[in-house]
Amino acid sequence: MEPEVFKDAPSICNKIRNNKTVVLNLKNTDYENGRKIFDFLSGALFALDGSINKIADNVFILAPKAVAVLTNPQHDDLDFNAPILEWDEDME
């Protein structure tokens, strides 16, 4: 989501309350509105036991409590040989 003004923040918070993960892009938001939006959503995530992780300059992943975000995966944490999607070869 790319909010422009503070009034956009509550709708983002509602998505998190509904167990949706949000990628928040504040790159095109002016500093004052970006700071207000970030502060509001940080407080909301704290109250909801969610998490916030920076993935780039002014870009964040906002995750509800039910979602774990892995920011620095280790080889032991992931099974790199596991297929991402399991295709049914009979359907070809």
Side-chain angles (χ1 to χ4, degrees):
M1 299 193 74
E2 296 181 1
E4 295 180 13
V5 293
F6 179 73
K7 71 176 184 164
D8 298 333
S11 65
I12 297 169
C13 183
N14 286 334
K15 291 185 182 304
I16 297 162
R17 286 178 53 205
N18 290 322
N19 288 321
K20 304 285 185 202
T21 301
V22 175
V23 175
L24 178 68
N25 183 348
L26 297 173
K27 286 184 176 184
N28 298 321
T29 307
D30 69 68
Y31 178 81
E32 188 64 32
N33 276 308
R35 179 88 269 165
K36 288 178 184 178
I37 292 166
F38 184 84
D39 288 347
F40 176 84
L41 293 173
S42 293
L45 283 162
F46 178 79
L48 297 170
D49 284 331
S51 65
I52 186 166
N53 294 284
K54 183 176 182 178
I55 57 173
D57 287 340
N58 295 321
V59 181
F60 306 88
I61 294 179
L62 311 177
K65 182 179 180 178
V67 175
V69 177
L70 184 62
T71 56
N72 290 320
Q74 302 295 317
H75 287 293
D76 295 341
D77 295 337
L78 300 173
D79 182 0
F80 286 104
N81 295 321
I84 295 173
L85 296 173
E86 294 188 24
W87 298 99
D88 186 356
E89 293 180 19
D90 294 333
M91 295 184 72
E92 293 181 14

